[in-house]
Amino acid sequence: MIDSTEMVKKVFTQKSGRVDTNRGDEYYNSLFENAKNRLSTLREQEPLKDIDMMDVIESEGVNRRDFMKWVSATTATLMLPPMFAPLVAEATELMNRVPVIWLELQDCAGNTEALLRSSAPTVDDLLFDVLSLEFHHALMAGAGHDAEHQLDEAMEHFKDNYLLFVEGSIPMGMNGNYGTIGPSGETFHDHLQRISKHAAAVVAVGTCATFGGVPAASPNPTGAVGVMDIVKGKPIINIPACPANPANMVGVVLHYILTGQVPELDSLLRPKFAFGYRIHDNCERRAHFDAGEFVEEWGDVGAQNNWCLYKVGCKGPMTFNNCSIIRYNEGTNWPIGAGHGCIGCSEPDFWDKYAYQRPMASANIKAPTGGVEKTVDEFGLGLLTATTVGIGVHAVASAVAGKKSGEEGEDK
């Protein structure tokens, strides 16, 4: 029999769950000098778009004070010391030096929609106005042969220097013919292989592009896979979630502009600055988890008092993402804040493994390291033991009491 406590300890001590937030003065001083030199080189280059960042943000009613607040927050998000803030501000003004090609493959266009639906653009949103977007299927005016010609020109002109953003999965079934594009009928697979060949780095945006997403859900009729299953020999950065948060896309681009390199990644190629923490650790309902206060069913007293959603299917303890910190909809809210449990959309195979809302004790759900939880309270008690956060006699007693109560309920 698998020891649930030991199993959960493995989950929460795995390598991808650790982030080194202080790498020492020597490291940061060296990085600072490299970033200064990098930005000086970029500033000498001709801008690819004649758009001034400060003009854009001022035209949208964002003042200098608000911009600097955003710079401070972004510097912290990238896990850099405050001394990097002036360089982050300078990097935002140089985003029009880095060419970007954006491909859309098998998906719902949700990541593009997330960018376009902003009613009151944040600085993150406005940066996409400055970014030199050389090609985007959904946003460009051209179509057919004209679009193909524009893509070929961008690839040739910015050979080996462009960032390739990819949205959507790649269907491999029926020799790739579930997804074709352009007047030549090129398959998504061949299209991605051809365009990624001369990219400086490939950024997979959204869960479809990273792990296959909803198209890859069982029985996966099109044979959908993610970008990292197709593209080899290139730096790949995965930004999963459904949709991906624009703040994390901006973070990746800013890091590249600052350093000329991809950010530090976890074992699933996700930037650690964005996916280095579990949702559970920064959840506003975490105190109720520690206190053994759970929503038992929708509409009960726990739901009315915003208690922990773990027992009704929240996957926060299994999910790595910073959405509990930066949130969505201009930072106003996120699913758990609105009373809906996390569905683990930034994890591999999320649709088959996590995207349901029913009591986890009867879900037979497997933790990432394998094994099956006997009951939710037993698993919760294991979490408390493993993380050693907020553990007290009262919390443990509450969890045990909850377990006994649940068993009594089952007996009845």
Side-chain angles (χ1 to χ4, degrees):
M1 180 178 178
I2 298 174
D3 185 302
S4 62
T5 301
E6 288 303 314
M7 178 190 71
V8 176
K9 280 182 179 178
K10 290 181 180 178
V11 174
F12 297 128
T13 56
Q14 60 185 307
K15 189 177 180 181
S16 62
R18 291 182 172 178
V19 182
D20 187 359
T21 57
N22 186 351
R23 307 184 69 171
D25 291 343
E26 183 177 353
Y27 171 82
Y28 290 117
N29 288 335
S30 174
L31 183 64
F32 188 85
E33 291 302 317
N34 290 339
K36 273 202 318 182
N37 295 333
R38 160 87 173 163
L39 295 179
S40 296
T41 301
L42 285 177
R43 189 169 287 283
E44 292 174 359
Q45 298 177 8
E46 286 293 322
L48 303 173
K49 285 176 70 175
D50 191 19
I51 295 177
D52 184 85
M53 176 62 194
M54 297 314 297
D55 288 344
V56 171
I57 65 171
E58 287 175 6
S59 67
E60 293 291 341
V62 180
N63 59 40
R64 183 75 185 179
R65 177 185 172 87
D66 290 336
F67 174 67
M68 292 312 298
K69 285 168 64 178
W70 175 87
V71 167
S72 296
T74 300
T75 303
T77 299
L78 291 173
M79 297 181 178
L80 295 173
M83 70 181 192
F84 279 83
L87 298 186
V88 171
E90 185 178 355
T92 62
E93 299 178 20
L94 298 176
M95 290 188 81
N96 58 3
R97 265 72 167 180
V98 176
V100 170
I101 293 177
W102 184 300
L103 301 185
E104 187 175 342
L105 306 178
Q106 184 175 234
D107 77 322
C108 66
N111 299 286
T112 296
E113 286 285 335
L115 295 175
L116 298 177
R117 295 291 180 184
S118 181
S119 58
T122 63
V123 175
D124 292 324
D125 302 322
L126 296 175
L127 285 175
F128 281 92
D129 291 339
V130 182
L131 200 64
S132 180
L133 202 55
E134 301 297 326
F135 183 86
H136 191 303
H137 290 128
L139 302 182
M140 62 191 299
H145 290 288
D146 289 341
E148 287 290 296
H149 181 66
Q150 184 171 338
L151 175 59
D152 291 341
E153 277 196 340
M155 290 171 56
E156 179 61 28
H157 189 69
F158 302 112
K159 190 175 181 178
D160 298 326
N161 291 315
Y162 57 85
L163 291 178
L164 176 61
F165 277 65
V166 182
E167 179 181 13
S169 62
I170 304 95
M172 299 298 290
M174 206 170 69
N175 294 320
N177 283 299
Y178 281 113
T180 62
I181 192 168
S184 66
E186 186 178 35
T187 66
F188 285 171
H189 170 272
D190 293 345
H191 192 60
L192 174 60
Q193 288 281 38
R194 179 167 63 90
I195 298 170
S196 64
K197 186 176 181 181
H198 291 293
V202 182
V203 185
V205 182
T207 300
C208 293
T210 52
F211 308 127
V214 175
S218 180
N220 191 2
T222 66
V225 299
V227 170
M228 63 181 176
D229 297 310
I230 301 297
V231 177
K232 305 298 179 186
K234 289 284 176 184
I236 295 177
I237 306 107
N238 283 332
I239 310 178
C242 190
N245 198 308
N248 292 334
M249 301 182 208
V250 167
V252 168
V253 176
L254 278 178
H255 190 281
Y256 180 75
I257 292 174
L258 271 173
T259 66
Q261 300 174 350
V262 302
E264 187 177 1
L265 307 175
D266 69 6
S267 58
L268 295 173
L269 305 184
R270 301 176 297 192
K272 285 190 175 181
F273 72 77
F275 299 93
Y277 302 101
R278 288 178 307 133
I279 283 176
H280 187 65
D281 294 336
N282 297 292
C283 179
E284 62 214 38
R285 302 190 187 216
R286 174 60 191 263
H288 295 293
F289 176 90
D290 293 347
E293 297 173 336
F294 297 96
V295 176
E296 300 286 348
E297 59 181 39
W298 303 114
D300 68 5
V301 65
Q304 294 168 21
N305 287 283
N306 299 324
W307 287 0
C308 179
L309 296 164
Y310 186 71
K311 282 190 176 182
V312 288
C314 180
K315 315 304 183 305
M318 295 86 164
T319 305
F320 290 80
N321 202 328
N322 60 358
C323 59
S324 57
I325 301 171
I326 58 176
R327 306 190 174 209
Y328 285 89
N329 297 328
E330 298 149 31
T332 57
N333 211 343
W334 65 306
I336 291 176
H340 193 290
C342 169
I343 62 172
C345 69
S346 58
E347 298 299 316
D349 303 321
F350 92 94
W351 190 261
D352 292 331
K353 291 172 64 177
Y354 300 137
Y356 58 82
Q357 293 295 311
R358 60 177 181 263
M360 294 182 64
S362 60
N364 241 15
I365 188 171
K366 291 184 178 180
T369 53
V372 179
E373 289 72 55
K374 186 176 180 182
T375 69
V376 63
D377 292 307
E378 192 172 9
F379 186 59
L381 193 60
L383 294 177
L384 291 172
T385 306
T387 55
T388 65
V389 176
I391 301 177
V393 174
H394 174 71
V396 176
S398 298
V400 173
K403 175 184 176 183
K404 290 181 178 177
S405 175
E407 290 175 345
E408 289 172 359
E410 291 177 2
D411 292 338
K412 292 178 181 178

